[in-house]
Amino acid sequence: MPLPSIRFGLMTDVHYDIMPNASARLEDFIQEMVNEDVDFIVQLGDFCHPTQENKPFLQVWNQFKGPRYHVLGNHDMDRNDKQTMMDYLGMQSSYYSFDQGEFHFVVLDGNYLKRGDQYVDYDHANYGRYPHLVDHISSEQLEWLRKDLRETKKHTIIFSHQNLDDSELGLKNGSELREIFRIANEAAGYQKVVACFNGHNHLDGVKVIDSIYYIHVNSMSYYYMGEEYDVIRYSEEVTAKYPILANSAPYEDALYAVVTIGAGQITISGRESQYVGPSPRACGHPNMAGGYEVSARISSRQLHY
């Protein structure tokens, strides 16, 4: 008899503090998740800075009456330490797990610098000063993960901000995580770890390693092209207030997804939009990053396990 399915809403990288219409994007997501009657919602990081001025934005998120789960992104610690952000969002731990129906979910925190054998929390954008040390899962967290996976018999979904499948764009010790997943599945005798969802890179794509799906979820808001690209897409006044927009390709509509898991299948119902102004390709951007095509969409997919 197949397991009952569960449905959840998924979004990432709204970047409230650098997008002039981020509140409207989040309101769109919340209203759609209420209409879809999903079991819970997840945001995969880079949400907003933990300030009093941003409380109304957080209140939009809290309008969803079901369970709400946060993943920490690197930019969530741009102006503050990690504990401040956790307190703001109401997180008891930066990494944790939970069950929903017949499925197990794990939230990871890849926001650590590695200095020798020491793991240092992201704090006031320190990751920008030490780019060669960034994006690690701490050794303590890895031990916790091994234990957590041993203790569940349920099919498991992993959430993280940084991706776990590629050391160039994602976690530097992603290979250690993939080995933990492989061993957990081998010991269980079935595919315990089914899929990993990440944000961070503002990309849409999927890769399969050891029968596990690694799924990039696109930003709700934009793709960052780089400082060498400079295009005025909104008014000069808006661009002066949000200068990163001139180096980015914003999406006209909010991107997010509804994910349904059950009966050996993951169904992703995504959204497609258009760019505000010229596309990255039209700006001379190669339109590829980390082996994935740059696009203004979250693709709808059916993935079997």
Side-chain angles (χ1 to χ4, degrees):
M1 184 175 178
L3 298 175
S5 63
I6 60 102
R7 300 171 73 241
F8 60 89
L10 189 60
M11 57 157 281
T12 189
D13 295 88
V14 59
H15 288 276
Y16 173 73
D17 299 277
I18 61 173
M19 284 301 296
N21 57 358
S23 285
R25 293 173 188 268
L26 186 60
E27 288 169 359
D28 182 12
F29 170 75
I30 295 297
Q31 187 57 58
E32 187 66 16
M33 296 308 107
V34 171
N35 294 343
E36 290 283 342
D37 194 27
V38 297
D39 295 301
F40 62 90
I41 59 175
V42 183
Q43 66 88 10
L44 295 175
D46 288 358
F47 190 65
C48 73
H49 296 148
T51 63
Q52 186 62 37
E53 293 78 13
N54 288 352
K55 281 290 180 71
F57 182 71
L58 181 59
Q59 288 168 4
V60 173
W61 171 264
N62 290 337
Q63 287 173 6
F64 184 80
K65 301 307 180 186
R68 306 177 298 269
Y69 298 102
H70 293 284
V71 180
L72 291 178
N74 56 304
H75 288 293
D76 294 322
M77 279 73 72
D78 276 359
R79 300 180 183 177
N80 45 269
D81 63 19
K82 190 177 288 185
Q83 188 62 54
T84 297
M85 191 67 200
M86 289 166 55
D87 292 343
Y88 189 81
L89 298 176
M91 298 175 68
Q92 299 301 309
S93 176
S94 66
Y95 56 90
Y96 57 95
S97 63
F98 62 94
D99 290 340
Q100 182 77 36
E102 297 302 317
F103 296 89
H104 186 63
F105 298 87
V106 174
V107 170
L108 297 177
D109 174 15
N111 300 293
Y112 291 90
L113 301 169
K114 186 179 183 184
R115 291 175 174 163
D117 294 330
Q118 300 297 312
Y119 293 88
V120 180
D121 283 321
Y122 284 8
D123 185 343
H124 289 84
N126 56 356
Y127 62 88
R129 298 190 294 275
Y130 306 99
H132 58 296
L133 304 178
V134 302
D135 297 342
H136 284 83
I137 296 282
S138 63
S139 54
E140 177 183 342
Q141 188 176 171
L142 291 174
E143 285 304 314
W144 169 87
L145 178 62
R146 291 184 181 95
K147 182 174 184 290
D148 184 82
L149 291 176
R150 284 196 302 268
E151 292 178 349
T152 186
K153 291 181 168 53
K154 299 184 177 189
H155 291 295
T156 299
I157 305 296
I158 310 292
F159 297 125
S160 62
H161 183 63
Q162 296 89 344
N163 66 292
L164 313 182
D165 65 88
D166 184 278
S167 60
E168 178 187 355
L169 291 181
L171 288 173
K172 299 301 186 293
N173 55 347
S175 60
E176 294 180 69
L177 285 155
R178 296 193 297 273
E179 182 65 6
I180 289 172
F181 301 154
R182 187 193 65 77
I183 290 172
N185 286 357
E186 186 177 87
Y190 60 91
Q191 192 171 351
K192 180 182 284 188
V193 180
V194 172
C196 305
F197 289 89
N198 70 270
H200 188 51
N201 298 314
H202 299 210
L203 296 170
D204 171 65
V206 60
K207 184 183 293 185
V208 181
I209 303 174
D210 293 330
S211 299
I212 299 171
Y213 294 105
Y214 292 84
I215 303 159
H216 287 257
V217 182
N218 205 340
S219 164
M220 178 175 269
S221 300
Y222 71 97
Y223 179 77
Y224 178 70
M225 296 186 296
E227 293 182 359
E228 63 269 36
Y229 303 93
D230 195 354
V231 180
I232 302 299
R233 297 172 182 273
Y234 298 94
S235 69
E236 291 188 6
E237 182 181 8
V238 169
T239 304
K241 186 175 181 180
Y242 305 98
I244 196 174
L245 295 178
N247 310 125
S248 304
Y251 312 139
E252 288 188 356
D253 309 290
L255 298 185
Y256 50 79
V258 173
V259 181
T260 304
I261 304 178
Q265 182 171 284
I266 302 171
T267 300
I268 302 172
S269 299
R271 298 189 94 203
E272 186 161 356
S273 185
Q274 297 178 335
Y275 295 105
V276 177
S279 69
R281 190 184 299 276
C283 295
H285 189 276
N287 214 56
M288 295 290 293
Y292 296 95
E293 181 186 11
V294 173
S295 67
R297 66 175 177 266
I298 295 175
S299 296
S300 295
R301 307 176 189 273
Q302 287 191 341
L303 307 173
H304 299 274
Y305 64 92

